[in-house]
Short mmCIF file of all heavy atoms in Angstrom, two decimals:
data_model
loop_
_atom_site.label_atom_id
_atom_site.label_comp_id
_atom_site.label_asym_id
_atom_site.label_seq_id
_atom_site.Cartn_x
_atom_site.Cartn_y
_atom_site.Cartn_z
N SER A 471 2.46 -22.65 -15.72
CA SER A 471 1.31 -23.45 -16.15
C SER A 471 0.05 -22.87 -15.65
O SER A 471 -0.94 -22.74 -16.42
CB SER A 471 1.49 -24.86 -15.65
OG SER A 471 0.36 -25.66 -15.92
N SER A 472 0.01 -22.41 -14.42
CA SER A 472 -1.19 -21.76 -13.89
C SER A 472 -1.54 -20.50 -14.62
O SER A 472 -2.69 -20.18 -14.91
CB SER A 472 -1.00 -21.51 -12.39
OG SER A 472 -2.02 -20.70 -11.88
N ALA A 473 -0.50 -19.68 -14.85
CA ALA A 473 -0.71 -18.37 -15.58
C ALA A 473 -1.27 -18.58 -16.96
O ALA A 473 -2.16 -17.82 -17.40
CB ALA A 473 0.61 -17.62 -15.57
N LEU A 474 -0.78 -19.59 -17.69
CA LEU A 474 -1.28 -19.82 -19.06
C LEU A 474 -2.72 -20.29 -19.03
O LEU A 474 -3.56 -19.85 -19.87
CB LEU A 474 -0.39 -20.89 -19.72
CG LEU A 474 1.04 -20.39 -20.09
CD1 LEU A 474 1.85 -21.56 -20.64
CD2 LEU A 474 0.99 -19.29 -21.12
N ARG A 475 -3.08 -21.16 -18.06
CA ARG A 475 -4.48 -21.58 -17.97
C ARG A 475 -5.37 -20.38 -17.67
O ARG A 475 -6.47 -20.21 -18.23
CB ARG A 475 -4.63 -22.69 -16.93
CG ARG A 475 -4.23 -24.03 -17.30
CD ARG A 475 -4.73 -25.08 -16.31
NE ARG A 475 -4.26 -24.81 -14.97
CZ ARG A 475 -3.13 -25.32 -14.45
NH1 ARG A 475 -2.42 -26.14 -15.19
NH2 ARG A 475 -2.78 -25.06 -13.22
N THR A 476 -4.91 -19.57 -16.72
CA THR A 476 -5.71 -18.35 -16.36
C THR A 476 -5.87 -17.43 -17.52
O THR A 476 -6.95 -16.91 -17.72
CB THR A 476 -5.05 -17.69 -15.13
OG1 THR A 476 -4.97 -18.60 -14.04
CG2 THR A 476 -5.82 -16.45 -14.73
N ALA A 477 -4.78 -17.16 -18.23
CA ALA A 477 -4.82 -16.28 -19.37
C ALA A 477 -5.81 -16.76 -20.43
O ALA A 477 -6.56 -15.97 -21.01
CB ALA A 477 -3.43 -16.09 -19.98
N PHE A 478 -5.85 -18.04 -20.70
CA PHE A 478 -6.80 -18.58 -21.71
C PHE A 478 -8.21 -18.41 -21.24
O PHE A 478 -9.07 -17.99 -22.02
CB PHE A 478 -6.44 -20.07 -21.90
CG PHE A 478 -7.29 -20.71 -23.03
CD1 PHE A 478 -7.09 -20.34 -24.32
CD2 PHE A 478 -8.30 -21.61 -22.73
CE1 PHE A 478 -7.85 -20.92 -25.38
CE2 PHE A 478 -9.08 -22.18 -23.73
CZ PHE A 478 -8.85 -21.82 -25.07
N ALA A 479 -8.47 -18.74 -20.00
CA ALA A 479 -9.86 -18.59 -19.45
C ALA A 479 -10.26 -17.07 -19.48
O ALA A 479 -11.39 -16.78 -19.82
CB ALA A 479 -9.91 -19.11 -17.99
N ALA A 480 -9.31 -16.20 -19.17
CA ALA A 480 -9.59 -14.75 -19.16
C ALA A 480 -9.90 -14.22 -20.55
O ALA A 480 -10.80 -13.41 -20.73
CB ALA A 480 -8.42 -13.99 -18.54
N LEU A 481 -9.20 -14.72 -21.55
CA LEU A 481 -9.43 -14.25 -22.96
C LEU A 481 -10.80 -14.73 -23.44
O LEU A 481 -11.57 -13.99 -24.03
CB LEU A 481 -8.32 -14.81 -23.88
CG LEU A 481 -7.00 -14.15 -23.79
CD1 LEU A 481 -5.94 -14.86 -24.63
CD2 LEU A 481 -7.08 -12.65 -24.26
N LEU A 482 -11.19 -15.98 -23.09
CA LEU A 482 -12.54 -16.46 -23.43
C LEU A 482 -13.58 -15.59 -22.79
O LEU A 482 -14.59 -15.19 -23.39
CB LEU A 482 -12.69 -17.93 -23.04
CG LEU A 482 -11.92 -18.97 -23.86
CD1 LEU A 482 -12.11 -20.34 -23.21
CD2 LEU A 482 -12.34 -18.94 -25.30
N ALA A 483 -13.39 -15.31 -21.51
CA ALA A 483 -14.38 -14.55 -20.72
C ALA A 483 -14.45 -13.12 -21.26
O ALA A 483 -15.55 -12.55 -21.33
CB ALA A 483 -14.00 -14.53 -19.27
N ALA A 484 -13.32 -12.51 -21.62
CA ALA A 484 -13.30 -11.15 -22.14
C ALA A 484 -14.10 -11.06 -23.40
O ALA A 484 -14.86 -10.12 -23.63
CB ALA A 484 -11.86 -10.69 -22.30
N GLY A 485 -13.86 -12.00 -24.34
CA GLY A 485 -14.57 -12.00 -25.58
C GLY A 485 -16.12 -12.15 -25.38
O GLY A 485 -16.90 -11.43 -25.98
N ALA A 486 -16.50 -13.06 -24.49
CA ALA A 486 -17.96 -13.31 -24.24
C ALA A 486 -18.57 -12.08 -23.57
O ALA A 486 -19.66 -11.67 -23.93
CB ALA A 486 -18.12 -14.57 -23.38
N GLY A 487 -17.88 -11.53 -22.57
CA GLY A 487 -18.38 -10.38 -21.84
C GLY A 487 -18.53 -9.16 -22.75
O GLY A 487 -19.58 -8.45 -22.70
N PHE A 488 -17.55 -8.93 -23.62
CA PHE A 488 -17.61 -7.78 -24.50
C PHE A 488 -18.78 -7.95 -25.50
O PHE A 488 -19.52 -7.00 -25.75
CB PHE A 488 -16.35 -7.66 -25.29
CG PHE A 488 -16.29 -6.53 -26.30
CD1 PHE A 488 -16.09 -5.22 -25.87
CD2 PHE A 488 -16.51 -6.79 -27.63
CE1 PHE A 488 -16.07 -4.20 -26.79
CE2 PHE A 488 -16.49 -5.70 -28.55
CZ PHE A 488 -16.26 -4.44 -28.09
N TRP A 489 -18.96 -9.16 -26.04
CA TRP A 489 -20.04 -9.38 -27.02
C TRP A 489 -21.42 -9.13 -26.36
O TRP A 489 -22.30 -8.50 -26.96
CB TRP A 489 -19.95 -10.80 -27.59
CG TRP A 489 -20.92 -11.06 -28.70
CD1 TRP A 489 -20.75 -10.85 -30.01
CD2 TRP A 489 -22.26 -11.55 -28.54
NE1 TRP A 489 -21.86 -11.19 -30.73
CE2 TRP A 489 -22.81 -11.64 -29.86
CE3 TRP A 489 -23.05 -11.97 -27.49
CZ2 TRP A 489 -24.12 -12.08 -30.09
CZ3 TRP A 489 -24.33 -12.40 -27.68
CH2 TRP A 489 -24.88 -12.47 -28.96
#
Side-chain angles (χ1 to χ4, degrees):
S471 175
S472 170
L474 289 174
R475 281 194 303 267
T476 299
F478 185 71
L481 285 174
L482 289 177
F488 179 79
W489 187 88

